[in-house]
Amino acid sequence: MATGKVRYWAAARQAAGVAEESFEAATLAELMTKITHDRAELARVVSRSSFLVDGSPVGKRAHDTVVLADGATVEVLPPFAGG
């Protein structure tokens, strides 16, 4: 089980009510389950978001295959409007 921090950007920050928080999770899937528990608006935003783990894009990889290292930083990037 890894510990680290999750950073929220734009609409994710608004839905979470914080800019960042600590986590304890082994995979990105487990982290998403934990951070969205009892947070319906954050769950909605996260379902449309992309993610960076230690600066690397997760892309289309299944979240249960993305193993988190101890001290990892996970960034939640909701879709951005504009051009």
Side-chain angles (χ1 to χ4, degrees):
M1 182 88 44
T3 60
K5 65 182 167 185
V6 58
R7 290 185 182 150
Y8 301 104
W9 297 95
R13 178 184 294 185
Q14 184 176 358
V18 295
E20 67 180 50
E21 60 189 337
S22 298
F23 73 81
E24 186 174 304
T27 66
L28 183 58
E30 181 182 359
L31 175 59
M32 294 302 104
T33 298
K34 286 182 173 186
I35 66 171
T36 59
H37 180 74
D38 288 335
R39 294 162 106 178
E41 182 60 18
L42 182 57
R44 186 185 69 75
V45 173
V46 163
S47 72
R48 300 183 334 229
S49 295
S50 57
F51 305 93
L52 298 176
V53 176
D54 291 330
S56 296
V58 170
K60 302 229 181 259
R61 288 183 287 160
H63 293 174
D64 61 345
T65 68
V66 179
V67 177
L68 301 174
D70 206 34
T73 298
V74 176
E75 301 191 57
V76 181
L77 306 167
F80 294 96

